[in-house]
Every structure is written in C-alpha cells, then in structure tokens.
Amino acid sequence: KAGVTQTPRYLIKTRGQQVTLSCSPISGHRSVSWYQQTPGQGLQFLFEYFSETQRNKGNFPGRFSGRQFSNSRSEMNVSTLELGDSALYLCASSSTSGVETQYFGPGTRLLVL
Amino acid sequence: AQSVTQLGSHVSVSEGALVLLRCNYSSSVPPYLFWYVQYPNQGLQLLLKYTSAATLVKGINGFEAEFKKSETSFHLTKPSAHMSDAAEYFCAVSYQTGANNLFFGTGTRLTVIP
C-alpha cells in the first residue's frame, strides 16, 4: 500500500496570507490527524478527522481549520499567517479512531516570511 | 494534565553499546504509550506501542520498551547501537479510547559514535 502523502512538501508564504495543505491517507484509513512540529514547541496535536467529522481538536487558534472529504483525504487551512506558524506540518492516518497505530506522512514544511 | 517527559535532549552512545532513552508519563489512568523515530527530513515512524497487554513491548529494529506503572516510565532500549539508529526519538502518550490525539515528549536526539 502507498503511504501517507502530503502536498506540497515545501511552501513559502508571507505574513497575512493563507495556506492550504493536503493529506492523502493510506488507502482504507478513515482517520486523519494533523500535528505541528516546531523547534520551540515540539510536536503538537492540531485536530483529528474521522469520517468527515472533526473528532478532536488541540489548543490552537481558530485560524487553523481543517476538513475531510468523503474519500478520507484531508486539508488543513491556516488563515492570516503569522511568523510563528513556520513549522513542519505532519499528517497521520489510521484505520479507525481509537488509539490505533498512526502512520505519518513526510510533512509539509511551511516558512512564513 | 496529560504529559510526557523525556530526560535528555541529546544522548550519545558508541556503536555496539546499549541504547537507553528515558520517558516518564504523568497519569492517573492507564495510558497508551508509543515510541516514534524521526529521521532527518522525514515523518515519524512507529517503533513500538503499549496498549495494556504485555508490559515488555518489542518493536522494530531491535528496540524494546518496558512499561513500569510503579515508576510511571516507558524507557526505550536497544542492546547494541548501530550507526543507522542515529535519529530523533519521541515518546508519546494517549489517554482516550476513541481518539487519536497523541501528546509527545520533547524528543531525544541519538548520536551513535563509530
């Protein structure tokens, strides 16, 4: 099976812009979770989607949002970008929503200038 | 609050030596515990997980970890380090069934000296 894919892999934006990142889970997986990784804050959970519904949300401002489509592909959107949003954004998929093994994609590295 | 503490942000071992990476969790309920490895410019790869079955968990690449409730620890070990083990290792915890939100430790960067 193909692994989790994330597009784009690298992205440069300027403050105030918005960005959309995409994640395609492993075939058959219905749960997609998003994480932000920064040198200062480490790995932090953003949100999880399961069957097109947000199941859990981390402690991030409303500028961070996401959605999941019927084919389980997920997108996350960050509006009004700030310098501090520069990070590696990781997507993980699992077969169900229930402390299953999560398989991570390679991430999208976002740089905000 | 759920949290994981990894002692030592950097650990160096000689090739062939024992690898010991420490992880302690804080919890009043049984947790689910994971160790992930991250190689440069890559995502995370699961090494092993504890989900309340056997307390000694064997993972990939010769790694294992032992869940010790009395010490609230889940340390990762490997008897003999290999150069290819050089990477960053993350301990993570989840407390909810029906949820996939992991709480990660700050990571330990492992250097293997030839």
Side-chain angles (χ1 to χ4, degrees):
Chain A
K1 280 185 180 179
V4 177
T5 58
Q6 293 186 244
T7 56
R9 290 292 311 278
Y10 302 92
L11 207 49
I12 299 175
K13 292 286 187 179
T14 57
R15 277 183 301 174
Q17 288 187 310
Q18 74 164 19
V19 67
T20 299
L21 312 182
S22 180
C23 172
S24 292
I26 292 171
S27 177
H29 284 191
R30 296 168 62 191
S31 171
V32 173
S33 298
W34 289 88
Y35 293 84
Q36 181 196 64
Q37 185 177 23
T38 61
Q41 299 298 317
L43 278 154
Q44 293 184 286
F45 172 76
L46 280 156
F47 29 66
E48 179 202 3
Y49 286 87
F50 179 75
S51 293
E52 302 178 65
T53 302
Q54 188 179 87
R55 289 291 297 267
N56 293 283
K57 190 177 191 304
N59 189 26
F60 278 81
R63 300 185 297 107
F64 292 81
S65 62
R67 59 177 175 168
Q68 187 179 33
F69 302 95
S70 58
N71 61 357
S72 294
R73 189 177 70 86
S74 177
E75 290 181 346
M76 69 163 282
N77 185 77
V78 188
S79 62
T80 320
L81 284 166
E82 300 177 359
L83 295 179
D85 297 333
S86 295
L88 180 66
Y89 290 89
L90 293 164
C91 163
S93 77
S94 63
S95 57
T96 63
S97 178
V99 201
E100 294 289 331
T101 297
Q102 293 186 58
Y103 296 88
F104 283 78
T108 293
R109 188 165 294 281
L110 172 65
L111 176 62
V112 182
L113 301 176
Chain B
Q2 309 92 330
S3 72
V4 172
T5 302
Q6 290 185 244
L7 296 175
S9 58
H10 291 87
V11 170
S12 293
V13 299
S14 298
E15 191 175 14
L18 172 72
V19 176
L20 170 61
L21 305 181
R22 299 177 187 276
C23 174
N24 289 87
Y25 66 91
S26 64
S27 171
S28 58
V29 298
Y32 301 93
L33 292 157
F34 306 80
W35 275 101
Y36 280 87
V37 61
Q38 186 176 34
Y39 297 99
N41 299 316
Q42 294 187 29
L44 301 171
Q45 180 182 12
L46 180 70
L47 283 175
L48 49 80
K49 65 179 180 180
Y50 167 77
T51 57
S52 74
T55 57
L56 181 62
V57 182
K58 294 188 184 298
I60 63 171
N61 302 338
F63 285 95
E64 63 181 39
E66 186 172 6
F67 173 72
K68 292 187 176 180
K69 185 178 178 180
S70 61
E71 299 177 9
T72 61
S73 68
F74 191 59
H75 301 332
L76 182 71
T77 61
K78 181 175 180 177
S80 177
H82 191 272
M83 295 298 294
S84 60
D85 295 327
E88 188 146 24
Y89 292 79
F90 293 92
C91 181
V93 63
S94 176
Y95 294 96
Q96 296 175 260
T97 55
N100 270 326
N101 48 326
L102 295 175
F103 295 90
F104 284 89
T106 51
T108 298
R109 184 169 299 279
L110 176 67
T111 300
V112 182
I113 303 165

